[in-house]
Amino acid sequence: MPPTKCDSPRTRILWGMSSAIPLNVGITRSASTGNADSAKRVLLAEPRGYCAGVDRAVETVEKTLEKHGAPVYVRKEIVHNRHVVETLRERGVIFVDETDEVPRGAVVVFSAHGVSPMVHESAAERSLHTIDATCPLVTKVHQEAKRFARDDFDILLIGHEGHEEVEGTAGEAPEHVQLVDGPESVGNVTVRDENKVIWLSQTTLSVDETMETVKKLRERFPNLQDPPSDDICYATSNRQTAVKAMAPECDLVIVVGSRNSSNSVRLVEVALSAGARASYLIDYARELDLAWLEGVRTVGVTSGASVPEILVEGVLELLAEHGFGEVQPVTTANETLVFSLPRELRAAR
Ligand code: 2E6
Ligand code: F3S
């Protein structure tokens, strides 16, 4: 049975009226008039941008800075966004690749993508004060990996090779986990007992491509078990649903996000496969090539789960300067999830 994604009444698509400007975008937009630009419009995906796990991770670093003072060390990028990382660096965060770069006894925050038990061990060996900003939805996948490894299953972890989240999850049970990096990798999988196989996944994959991978795995292993609950998280799934709803109408879809952000890159792919004529990933408005706008009437705009809204506002402002002042929200879900901060920082929130 394929996992259900966002199967709530909230998935009803609400096409915004041109006058229904979303409250979270503070720019002036031209009213629809009879001028030459009246045919030009922006469709703005909702939901987009920060998810609950990113919000928590960024706030974790901010509160750690407040509580312990600079410098605060963060292992890997706290979230995969250039602007977030550069802003925190300016405020006194030192980003490192591994815990052995952190001075003994110092404070280190683990990123939202999670870490393997080996990373916890090496931090303990150096007497580091660790604060774990792993998204609770990533931790949930770690728990699943541990549980099925304990029951001696072969775990087929669908995900992108080299991604930090996959390294952390696989590290929970390296003897039991095999990485399946997309449908083309299914042929390489070998298992010990075809009746004891389960698939799990990275949280930020393409929902459709993952279903294709699972279908191929099941053709090889008919008794393949599904995860106890969806591993692709609500935020990934919701952002893809919103893009799918607007893409067929779009000559161009701009996705704001960084190149190493898996969920952001997936939004470009989803836009193209859902019918957008072109789609580009940019970190900042200044990267938008005006040639992309030639002959374009409808531009879709969205952003990855690690992207601050200010960067989307910059893109909307630039588009407005080039005749795309009319913005219509395309809403496919309302998100209300909030995660509490790591225990040691809770009082500070
Ligand atoms: C942690 C886990 C999942 O590259 P990816 O999409 O995984 O990461 P970010 O930082 O762009 O997005 C948020 C996130 C954090 N997703
Ligand atoms: Fe967590 Fe999903 Fe965001 S796993 S960090 S809620 S993209």
Side-chain angles (χ1 to χ4, degrees):
M1 185 191 73
T4 51
K5 298 291 165 204
C6 188
D7 262 347
S8 76
R10 296 178 315 176
T11 52
R12 190 166 59 93
I13 296 167
L14 307 168
W15 283 94
M17 307 294 287
S18 55
S19 58
I21 292 166
L23 294 173
N24 55 344
V25 179
I27 64 168
T28 309
R29 299 187 177 94
S30 62
S32 190
T33 61
N35 66 31
D37 288 341
S38 64
K40 293 182 178 177
R41 62 174 182 164
V42 170
L43 297 181
L44 184 58
E46 177 70 46
R48 64 180 177 280
Y50 268 23
C51 61
V54 165
D55 203 28
R56 173 183 187 264
V58 173
E59 194 177 347
T60 294
V61 177
E62 290 169 346
K63 296 288 185 222
T64 306
L65 275 168
E66 273 171 33
K67 188 171 171 188
H68 296 278
V72 159
Y73 292 81
V74 175
R75 181 187 177 274
K76 309 286 186 189
E77 293 190 352
I78 184 70
V79 296
H80 291 151
N81 183 264
R82 244 169 84 184
H83 179 78
V84 170
V85 168
E86 280 164 15
T87 307
L88 290 173
R89 194 175 275 133
E90 280 161 17
R91 293 175 58 186
V93 171
I94 298 176
F95 291 94
V96 296
D97 259 339
E98 287 307 336
T99 46
D100 60 11
E101 296 164 53
V102 181
R104 293 187 76 85
V107 179
V108 63
V109 179
F110 292 148
S111 82
H113 312 95
V115 296
S116 71
M118 265 178 59
V119 174
H120 281 285
E121 282 160 28
S122 71
E125 275 163 22
R126 295 180 69 73
S127 307
L128 302 182
H129 177 167
T130 60
I131 298 178
D132 191 353
T134 302
C135 174
L137 299 181
V138 172
T139 304
K140 187 210 76 167
V141 185
H142 282 225
Q143 304 298 359
E144 290 170 353
K146 281 196 273 193
R147 172 183 150 197
F148 287 100
R150 232 178 3 248
D151 293 344
D152 204 26
F153 274 72
D154 277 323
I155 299 168
L156 309 181
L157 178 63
I158 304 175
H160 295 300
E161 186 147 24
H163 192 282
E164 284 139 38
E165 180 185 326
V166 159
E167 286 174 355
T169 306
E172 291 288 358
E175 318 281 271
H176 288 83
V177 173
Q178 278 178 73
L179 184 68
V180 184
D181 192 346
E184 303 75 34
S185 310
V186 169
N188 304 329
V189 175
T190 54
V191 300
R192 293 167 302 157
D193 176 354
E194 295 199 358
N195 295 313
K196 258 188 132 176
V197 190
I198 183 154
W199 70 274
L200 302 178
S201 85
Q202 189 179 335
T203 57
T204 52
L205 302 180
S206 150
V207 173
D208 293 341
E209 191 189 90
T210 303
M211 290 308 100
E212 201 186 316
T213 307
V214 171
K215 186 166 166 273
K216 288 204 163 158
L217 283 171
R218 189 155 281 124
E219 280 162 17
R220 288 201 56 202
F221 310 114
N223 292 334
L224 177 71
Q225 279 196 33
D226 290 317
S229 62
D230 295 356
D231 290 338
I232 297 181
C233 75
Y234 80 98
T236 299
S237 169
N238 285 350
R239 280 151 192 68
Q240 289 174 17
T241 301
V243 164
K244 271 189 196 172
M246 71 184 191
E249 304 267 330
C250 294
D251 303 304
L252 166 71
V253 171
I254 299 295
V255 178
V256 186
S258 295
R259 309 218 79 79
N260 61 342
S261 166
S262 167
N263 78 88
S264 304
V265 174
R266 302 290 83 78
L267 291 174
V268 174
E269 296 168 356
V270 169
L272 291 171
S273 61
R277 283 183 27 221
S279 182
Y280 298 98
L281 183 70
I282 57 173
D283 264 295
Y284 298 102
R286 62 175 182 263
E287 293 170 6
L288 197 154
D289 184 342
L290 294 178
W292 299 342
L293 300 177
E294 275 165 30
V296 164
R297 291 169 65 143
T298 302
V299 182
V301 174
T302 187
S303 57
S306 47
V307 179
E309 187 60 12
I310 192 167
L311 301 180
V312 175
E313 287 172 13
V315 170
L316 294 177
E317 279 167 23
L318 184 85
L319 288 171
E321 283 163 19
H322 292 275
F324 294 86
E326 183 185 321
V327 179
Q328 301 177 358
V330 176
T331 305
T332 52
N334 296 307
E335 293 180 347
T336 53
L337 187 65
V338 178
F339 291 128
S340 54
L341 287 172
R343 197 177 303 277
E344 58 269 58
L345 299 170
R346 263 178 220 171
R349 193 170 211 177

